[in-house]
Amino acid sequence: MKIAFAAPTLPKTGAVAAGVLDGGKLSPTAAQLDRAMSGALTRALKSGRFKGQKGQIQEVLAPAGIGNSRVILFGLGKPKELKDLDFEAIGSSVIDRLSKSGEREVAIAIDDIAGIAVAAPQGAALCAFGARLQDYRFDRYKTKQKPEEKPSLERITVLVDDLAPARRAFAALEPVADGVFLTRDLVSEPANIIYPKSLAAEAKKLTKLGVSVQILGAAEMRKLGMGALLGVAQGSAHEAQLLVMRWNGIGKTGPGKRTIKDKSARPVAFVGKGVTFDTGGISIKPAANMEDMKWDMGGAGVVIGLMRALAGRKAKADVVGICGLVENMPSGTAQRPGDIVTSMSGQTIEVINTDAEGRLVLADALWYVQEKFNPHTIVDLATLTGAVIIALGHEYAGLFSNDDKLSEKLTAAGTAVGEGVWRLPMGEAYDKAINSDAADMKNVGNRAGGSITAAQFLLRFIKKGTPWAHLDIAGMAWSSKDKPTVPKGGTGFGVRLLDRLVADHFEG
Ligand code: BES
Ligand code: MN
Ligand code: ZN
C-alpha cells in the first residue's frame, strides 16, 4: 500500500475521509463535502447516534453530488483531549474499514482545527503511521487466497495544509514501522524456518543499513565459558548463536563509521531472549498450544526490529543489541534436571527445570554485554514466564528493574506509544527463593511470584550499579485478537517503546 501526502484538494474519485468534532460539528473538509452533497452529512448526523465521538466512524456510501464512491466521517471528540495516539487510531480505523471494501484509494483529510493540541502536520504523519501499522499482514504461506480475500486498498493520501513538516515527521516514523514489521515477520515465522542460524542470517541483513553484525557460534561461546546458554542448546540439532549488533549513531559520518571522539562513551544495550522453539526440553511442555512456542524468540525479534528502526532513522545514539539464540529440545544430548552448569560470570546454576531456559540464555548474554561493551544502561526483553500473563494478562508487559528512574522512563515511553509496561516488585525476599543447596543458585523458585523470581535470577547477572530493566513480554509478543494498529499475530510490541526510550533519553 502506498502512502502519500498532498495539499487539501479533494479528489474527484475514490473514498474520502474527514473529521467531525464532538457534538456533530463538521471539520472544514467535512463541511465542504456536506455543501457539495446538499447537506446529506448534516442529515446523516441528525438521524444516527454518531455525533463525532472519538474513535467512532460513520460511513456514507455512494454519495450524491460528488464523484467519490464513499465518505467516511471519523470522530475527533473534544479538540483539547486529542493526543498523538488518537491520530494513529484515525489512520488505522479508516484503513481497517476500507481495506477489504473493494475501494482502491482513500484520501484522509487532517484539517488544521483551533484548539487541537497536536499540530496538523504531526497529526497527518501519525495518521499515516497508524494506517501503515494497520496494513501489516503475514500471509506468505497462504497460497490459495482468492482475490476477494486480499486487501483492495492500494493508495492512501493524507491531505494536509503544511506538507513539508508532515512528510518530515513521517520520514522519521516509517523506519519504526519497518522495524515493527521485521519483528512481526520474525515472530510469525515457524521454527522450521527461523532457527538460530537463520535468525542470525536475517539480522545480518541489517548490515545494509549500517548496523555492524557479528555472530558467535558454539565454539566461541564455549571459549567464553557460556555454559548456561550452551546447556540449553545442547539438546538441539541446531547450533546456538550469539548475535551481536551495533549501531553507532553518535558523530556518525557514514554507515558503520564511528568518529566519536570520546572513547569512553558507553552505549545503551538491549538484550533479547531468542529461543527459536521452546519444547521445555526434558521437562517437556504439554502438547496443547505448544505451537505457540515458536514465538519464544520474541525478545530477540524485538531487539532485531529495534536495531532496524534505529538505523533506519539514523538515531543519534550508540546502541548494542545482543541476542542469545538457541532451540530448547529434548534429546539424548539434552541437559537433565539436576545438571549444574557454570555461567560466563563464573556463577554456577543448578538446572531444576529445563523449561526455565530463557533465564539461562539471558544470564550469559547479559554477562557478555557487560564484559564487552560496558553499557550505561541495559534493557532486556524476553517471553520469560507464563506467570506474567496470569498477573497482567495481555495489556501490559511486566517491568522489573533495579532503577526507579529507568523504570519511570520506560513507563512514560510506553504510555506515549501505547505499549504499556507495569512495574512489579523485586527484593531480597524473592531472591532467596532461588538459592540452591548444590550450586550458587537454581533456575526456578517455587510457583509463587514466578515472574519475579525469574527477574531476580537475571539480576544476579547484572554488575552492581548498572541501571537495568527486564521486560517480560510473554503476554505481549503475540496477539490472538485484532487491535488498532496491531493485527492479530506477532505484535512487534517493544520496538516502538524502546525506539521512544532511545529518542527521548539517549540521543544527543
Ligand atoms: N517460554 C516460556 C514462557 C511462556 C509461557 C511464554 C507461556 C509465553 C507463554 C518459558 O521458557 C517457560 O517455559 N517458563 C516456565 C517457567 C517455569 C518452568 C518456572 C513457565 O512460565 O511455565
Ligand atoms: Mn521454557
Ligand atoms: Zn521459553
Side-chain angles (χ1 to χ4, degrees):
M1 194 178 65
K2 286 214 170 69
I3 298 184
F5 296 87
T9 312
L10 285 176
K12 300 215 168 9
T13 58
V16 51
V20 179
L21 293 155
D22 201 43
K25 191 176 181 315
L26 299 176
S27 64
T29 300
Q32 187 190 336
L33 286 163
D34 190 43
R35 281 193 297 276
M37 292 164 70
S38 317
L41 294 180
T42 305
R43 290 197 297 280
L45 281 165
K46 280 215 181 90
S47 67
R49 286 185 177 168
F50 174 76
K51 308 283 180 209
Q53 300 93 323
K54 193 163 84 179
Q56 292 200 8
I57 266 191
Q58 178 68 57
E59 195 173 355
V60 180
L61 266 169
I66 55 176
N68 304 91
S69 47
R70 69 184 89 196
V71 173
I72 304 241
L73 298 175
F74 51 83
L76 289 164
K78 297 192 173 69
K80 276 198 188 114
E81 290 170 9
L82 273 168
K83 296 199 182 66
D84 280 5
L85 287 178
D86 297 319
F87 284 90
E88 286 180 22
I90 289 167
S92 78
S93 60
V94 171
I95 298 321
D96 186 35
R97 178 63 67 103
L98 292 182
S99 166
K100 291 186 179 175
S101 63
E103 208 70 71
R104 289 170 62 189
E105 288 187 38
V106 60
I108 309 176
I110 301 296
D111 294 336
D112 204 344
I113 297 172
I116 295 185
V118 182
Q122 170 78 354
L126 289 163
C127 169
F129 186 49
R132 170 70 87 227
L133 289 170
Q134 165 74 35
D135 183 47
Y136 175 83
R137 288 182 333 281
F138 185 80
D139 54 8
R140 191 169 295 171
Y141 299 108
K142 294 278 221 177
T143 66
K144 296 181 187 226
Q145 268 188 321
K146 299 191 187 82
E148 63 270 24
E149 289 167 338
K150 293 185 184 162
S152 57
L153 208 59
E154 290 166 6
R155 190 176 179 82
I156 300 172
T157 309
V158 182
L159 306 177
V160 62
D161 256 320
D162 220 350
L163 278 176
R167 287 191 177 125
R168 216 177 308 127
F170 187 58
L173 291 169
E174 237 183 343
V176 180
D178 291 340
V180 171
F181 288 2
L182 175 58
T183 304
R184 288 178 183 175
D185 281 347
L186 294 175
V187 169
S188 301
E189 286 285 1
N192 58 329
I193 303 295
I194 286 292
Y195 44 86
K197 276 192 173 153
S198 62
L199 183 50
E202 289 302 317
K204 186 93 192 171
K205 293 180 185 165
L206 298 182
T207 325
K208 270 187 244 146
L209 294 176
V211 178
S212 73
V213 181
Q214 190 195 352
I215 299 160
L216 276 62
E220 286 156 289
M221 287 191 267
R222 175 83 50 214
K223 268 190 217 135
L224 290 164
M226 296 187 152
L229 185 153
L230 289 170
V232 176
Q234 78 188 31
S236 170
H238 289 294
E239 185 187 331
Q241 308 276 289
L242 189 75
L243 171 63
V244 183
M245 296 168 288
R246 282 193 294 162
W247 169 253
N248 296 318
I250 294 180
K252 206 162 152 45
T253 54
K257 273 191 203 131
R258 184 183 169 87
T259 60
I260 184 164
K261 290 198 184 96
D262 180 6
K263 288 246 171 62
S264 70
R266 300 165 73 183
V268 54
F270 298 104
V271 179
K273 167 181 172 181
V275 177
T276 57
F277 196 79
D278 181 13
T279 63
I282 295 297
S283 313
I284 198 161
K285 288 181 181 293
N289 302 319
M290 204 206 272
E291 67 277 12
D292 286 352
M293 286 301 117
K294 72 171 183 181
W295 43 260
D296 210 22
M297 37 57 70
V302 171
V303 174
I304 296 168
L306 174 68
M307 296 307 284
R308 169 154 191 175
L310 295 173
R313 67 172 184 80
K314 300 203 168 23
K316 290 184 179 57
D318 284 350
V319 184
V320 192
I322 305 272
C323 301
L325 310 180
V326 302
E327 185 182 53
N328 189 22
M329 296 291 271
S331 79
T333 63
Q335 75 178 340
R336 296 139 291 247
D339 282 5
I340 296 177
V341 295
T342 304
S343 67
M344 184 183 174
S345 74
Q347 300 178 93
T348 56
I349 305 159
E350 186 185 11
V351 180
I352 300 294
N353 189 322
T354 64
D355 196 12
E357 84 298 339
R359 63 199 76 180
L360 297 169
V361 172
L362 286 174
D364 280 338
L366 287 167
W367 196 261
Y368 176 87
V369 79
Q370 292 169 94
E371 288 282 291
K372 279 277 173 202
F373 298 103
N374 189 26
H376 60 72
T377 304
I378 305 173
V379 180
D380 77 68
L381 300 105
T383 49
L384 203 63
T385 65
V388 81
I389 309 177
I390 305 300
L392 300 173
H394 302 283
E395 304 304 324
Y396 292 89
L399 161 63
F400 306 83
S401 180
N402 60 0
D403 191 276
D404 293 345
K405 285 205 185 100
L406 179 58
S407 297
E408 281 164 25
K409 287 171 186 167
L410 280 161
T411 305
T415 306
V417 302
E419 294 188 337
V421 298
W422 197 269
R423 192 175 183 187
L424 290 164
M426 296 189 71
E428 235 172 274
Y430 295 109
D431 179 73
K432 271 194 212 148
I434 52 170
N435 284 335
S436 158
D437 292 335
D440 297 335
M441 68 193 88
K442 52 186 179 183
N443 75 330
V444 292
N446 46 24
R447 273 164 59 84
S451 304
I452 304 176
T453 51
Q456 293 293 161
F457 183 95
L458 300 179
L459 181 57
R460 290 193 184 202
F461 296 87
I462 299 297
K463 294 183 180 176
K464 252 202 154 46
T466 306
W468 155 83
H470 155 61
L471 301 175
D472 194 336
I473 58 170
M476 307 308 291
W478 187 269
S479 173
S480 44
K481 276 192 302 218
D482 280 321
K483 293 183 196 164
T485 71
V486 188
K488 66 181 172 195
T491 61
F493 178 100
V495 173
R496 299 187 57 191
L497 167 75
L498 297 178
D499 173 72
R500 177 57 79 100
L501 178 79
V502 170
D504 286 352
H505 301 288
F506 303 131
E507 286 194 60

